[in-house]
Amino acid sequence: MLKYPIGVQTFEEIRTGGYVYVDKTEYVFRLADEGKYYFLSRPRRFGKSLLLSTMEAYFRGRKELFGGLAVEGLEKEWKVHPVLRLDLGGASYNTREDLDNKLSQVLAEWEALYGVKNVYQTFATRFDEVITCAARRTGCKVVVLVDEYEKPIVDNLGNKELRDYFRSTLQGFYSVIKTQDDKIRFGFLTGVSRIGHMSIFSGLNNLRDISMSRKYASICGISEKELKEYLNEGVCEMAAAHGLDTEDCYNRLKQLYDGYRFCSECTGMYNPYSLLTALADREFGEYWYATATPSFLVSYLMRENLSLNELTLDHVRPQILTGTNAEHISPVTLLYQTGYLTIKEYFRDTDEYLLGYPNKEVENGFTESLAQLYIPKEEEVSEFSVNRFAKDLREGDIDMFLQRLKAFMADNDYQVQGKAELYMQNTMYVFLKLLGQRVEVERHTSNGRIDILIQTEKYVYVIELKRDKDPDNALDQIVSRGYEWPFIAEKGRKIFKIGINFSTATRRIEGWKVE
């Protein structure tokens, strides 16, 4: 049976503990051989810390840990370098002292290790002296590895005073890497996002950003090829536990955990934490979201008055995906860089992207978090339970569904910050997602986009939403643009065309028309 390294982020422990390891060492050798300074952003729990641990073992010359791996046949010298590794993850940064104490602790350990006698006052000068002493004492150039470089800033997107302090402190600290270039062999910095990248690294402008590089798209995560090469035994065991054939098991794993794309035309990557946990538990659970609930992200989206209908986006320019301005963050930038949206398609002729949820795990988990803000608690709307709504849709009772929906929306509290009508539309979006139906928002057709499309085994519901207009206007748009045409040829399913009007004055559903 395979032994899965869930929560194990140390390369040495994985290699000596008999855990399965998906070999990424060819990338480590290639990076060290081709360049010197790099930056990589990936979502949380995507293997960044393990990658840095692998780099640390490689640059420390731990040849015995790499037997049978790709780098064994590539590296001939195995030089030993002093490695300075800083991890800003695993802590919350709510005060200035939180970062100050973290940097002081790490610097003190390095100073003791390399015999630093002159302990200066600022973090930057102390870091500078550590690099000098490490290179002098070992006779070798230094390797600098930084994990979650931006976490203090991301923790304080809504607190300008703290954000500015952390940015200034880290900018001075990281700039030492450039000033000590002659004593450094290799530098690699990782984080969840590029937020603050430009301002933090203004003094370190020689970093090569490989976050969207095709060459390194598979450096973290697990590809379909790697899944079948290293983990096929586990998939077969999981399939047997659920009475599935192996191919069906692969398909279910793909729907839940695959789909992350980090460049314009590259294969999808599985979230390693979720995939390995699922195989270990032999359950198709939603694991990643439980460890990365984005409370700051959900609150930020509400403050920014983002229409949730826009979470599947086309015509997105590359500059949006690589946004670095912590002062004016696009919600789309934040969603992409934190892993809640990913590249679904690239339009080469216009140099634009189509974005969407990577997989069902992310979509379901994100919807649940949104529901905590947009949907009243179940006990408050017991007569409007999800099960009853779902039953109406399964049975084609669209009038009852709409009556329930109108009453449900009337019971909701729209005294919230932001635009009330937008909040009301977002509530409907989240609620329909929670029904567990095949719900699509802004579904593309050859003649426009369907606001909401719901599909069940027997019925297709094409819904057009309008604000302060007669429902006939919404219904006319469905008919004139032929939104129902893609489903007419399907036998055995009845099509409902539904126009719904929201009233800005009453902030309620005022009327609808069904054909």
Side-chain angles (χ1 to χ4, degrees):
M1 294 179 61
L2 295 179
K3 188 176 178 181
Y4 300 98
I6 299 165
V8 181
Q9 301 179 42
T10 305
F11 179 73
E12 179 179 4
E13 184 176 353
I14 289 176
R15 295 295 289 165
T16 59
Y19 294 98
V20 63
Y21 174 69
V22 177
D23 190 357
K24 302 290 185 178
T25 61
E26 180 183 351
Y27 294 109
V28 174
F29 176 83
R30 187 189 301 170
L31 288 166
D33 185 57
E34 294 180 354
K36 187 169 182 178
Y37 298 111
Y38 299 92
F39 170 76
L40 173 73
S41 70
R42 285 294 184 268
R44 283 190 169 82
R45 307 310 296 264
F46 227 84
K48 299 187 301 299
S49 296
L50 176 57
L51 177 65
L52 289 189
S53 180
T54 307
M55 291 178 174
E56 181 175 8
Y58 169 74
F59 281 109
R60 289 191 185 278
R62 300 290 305 278
K63 181 179 180 180
E64 74 279 7
L65 298 177
F66 292 87
L69 300 180
V71 73
E72 184 182 38
L74 298 170
E75 181 58 66
K76 306 303 180 185
E77 297 182 346
W78 293 99
K79 288 184 178 180
V80 179
H81 295 272
V83 177
L84 304 178
R85 184 175 173 187
L86 171 65
D87 184 358
L88 293 180
S92 296
Y93 298 91
N94 302 314
T95 67
R96 293 187 176 193
E97 289 72 26
D98 291 333
L99 178 60
D100 292 353
N101 292 337
K102 177 69 175 180
L103 293 178
S104 290
Q105 178 187 4
V106 174
L107 285 165
E109 292 173 359
W110 291 342
E111 287 161 348
L113 181 62
Y114 294 109
V116 176
K117 296 180 180 179
N118 300 319
V119 178
Y120 296 96
Q121 294 298 312
T122 70
F123 299 127
T125 52
R126 290 176 66 184
F127 186 30
D128 185 274
E129 184 68 6
V130 165
I131 293 174
T132 298
C133 290
R136 181 189 304 129
R137 174 170 249 188
T138 63
C140 294
K141 290 189 175 183
V142 176
V143 170
V144 178
L145 306 175
V146 181
D147 201 1
E148 296 207 44
Y149 83 99
E150 88 293 24
K151 191 173 188 298
I153 291 176
V154 172
D155 281 355
N156 291 277
L157 291 178
N159 186 331
K160 186 178 187 304
E161 181 181 350
L162 267 184
R163 190 180 69 225
D164 288 347
Y165 174 78
F166 291 147
R167 181 171 53 194
S168 174
T169 300
L170 291 173
Q171 181 185 47
F173 188 83
Y174 295 140
S175 65
V176 172
I177 298 173
K178 184 175 182 179
T179 61
Q180 287 280 43
D181 177 68
D182 62 323
K183 301 181 185 70
I184 293 178
R185 162 67 179 87
F186 185 83
F188 197 91
L189 295 88
T190 77
V192 171
S193 78
R194 296 180 181 84
I195 302 301
H197 177 289
M198 187 177 296
S199 56
I200 287 180
F201 295 152
S202 60
L204 181 58
N205 55 11
N206 53 345
L207 284 176
R208 177 184 171 191
D209 189 344
I210 61 171
S211 304
M212 295 186 70
S213 166
R214 184 195 310 273
K215 196 173 184 179
Y216 295 103
S218 301
I219 194 170
C220 290
I222 298 174
S223 68
E224 184 82 16
K225 180 181 178 182
E226 290 168 334
L227 171 60
K228 293 182 176 180
E229 180 180 353
Y230 295 98
L231 299 165
N232 183 65
E233 179 184 339
V235 176
C236 291
E237 291 170 353
M238 190 170 187
H242 287 267
L244 301 170
D245 65 41
T246 305
E247 196 59 36
D248 286 339
C249 190
Y250 271 113
N251 288 335
R252 290 189 65 177
L253 291 170
K254 187 178 187 65
Q255 290 174 1
L256 278 170
Y257 312 123
D258 192 16
Y260 295 87
R261 290 178 174 82
F262 302 109
C263 65
S264 58
E265 296 172 346
C266 57
T267 59
M269 299 297 294
Y270 285 79
N271 181 302
Y273 177 80
S274 296
L275 178 62
L276 294 176
T277 306
L279 293 175
D281 292 349
R282 298 181 186 175
E283 294 293 341
F284 297 100
E286 295 176 1
Y287 302 101
W288 176 73
Y289 215 86
T291 70
T293 303
S295 55
F296 82 93
L297 179 58
V298 174
S299 300
Y300 179 79
L301 294 179
M302 288 196 71
R303 291 200 308 270
E304 291 298 306
N305 290 319
L306 177 72
S307 170
L308 299 179
N309 291 356
E310 297 175 2
L311 292 184
T312 299
L313 296 160
D314 58 2
H315 305 300
V316 176
R317 301 287 294 169
Q319 294 86 342
I320 297 294
L321 304 187
T322 58
T324 60
N325 191 340
E327 298 289 342
H328 304 287
I329 310 167
S330 162
V332 177
T333 301
L334 199 56
L335 285 164
Y336 171 76
Q337 293 184 9
T338 51
Y340 300 102
L341 293 178
T342 196
I343 296 170
K344 307 299 284 189
E345 191 174 352
Y346 174 64
F347 307 105
R348 183 174 294 277
D349 56 337
T350 58
D351 190 27
E352 293 174 328
Y353 295 93
L354 169 66
L355 303 183
Y357 294 111
N359 50 50
K360 285 296 181 183
E361 181 187 38
V362 173
E363 182 176 4
N364 293 344
F366 194 48
T367 301
E368 290 287 346
S369 284
L370 290 169
Q372 295 175 18
L373 295 176
Y374 286 104
I375 304 296
K377 291 183 173 59
E378 176 66 23
E379 59 267 24
E380 297 174 1
V381 289
S382 57
E383 67 268 39
F384 308 122
S385 69
V386 168
N387 289 336
R388 294 186 182 184
F389 280 98
K391 182 174 180 289
D392 293 338
L393 291 173
R394 287 196 307 270
E395 296 179 354
D397 194 346
I398 190 60
D399 286 328
M400 179 57 71
F401 172 82
L402 291 169
Q403 290 286 355
R404 288 189 204 277
L405 184 63
K406 180 179 180 180
F408 168 80
M409 300 290 275
D411 271 5
N412 210 343
D413 179 12
Y414 292 107
Q415 301 304 316
V416 297
Q417 66 183 99
K419 300 177 181 178
E421 63 270 23
L422 177 60
Y423 183 81
M424 189 159 53
Q425 292 178 56
N426 286 346
T427 299
M428 187 170 180
Y429 168 87
V430 172
F431 183 74
L432 288 172
K433 285 288 186 182
L434 287 177
L435 290 184
Q437 307 293 324
R438 292 167 59 191
V439 179
E440 296 178 70
V441 177
E442 298 290 325
R443 162 72 177 261
H444 286 252
T445 73
S446 60
N447 202 25
R449 293 188 290 186
I450 303 171
D451 279 351
I452 296 176
L453 175 68
I454 307 172
Q455 299 187 65
T456 69
E457 183 179 355
K458 297 181 180 179
Y459 303 99
V460 176
Y461 302 92
V462 181
I463 302 175
E464 183 69 23
L465 307 174
K466 293 296 182 184
R467 187 169 66 249
D468 298 329
K469 292 184 179 179
D470 192 283
D472 284 319
N473 184 277
L475 194 60
D476 287 344
Q477 181 170 324
I478 296 174
V479 175
S480 65
R481 298 192 179 183
Y483 288 161
E484 78 279 15
W485 291 350
F487 312 100
I488 290 177
E490 297 184 21
K491 295 181 180 180
R493 287 210 292 179
K494 184 176 180 179
I495 300 173
F496 286 95
K497 293 170 285 186
I498 306 158
I500 298 178
N501 173 52
F502 285 115
S503 169
T504 302
T506 65
R507 297 178 296 179
R508 300 289 182 263
I509 294 176
E510 286 297 309
W512 60 78
K513 188 169 183 179
V514 180
E515 282 189 5

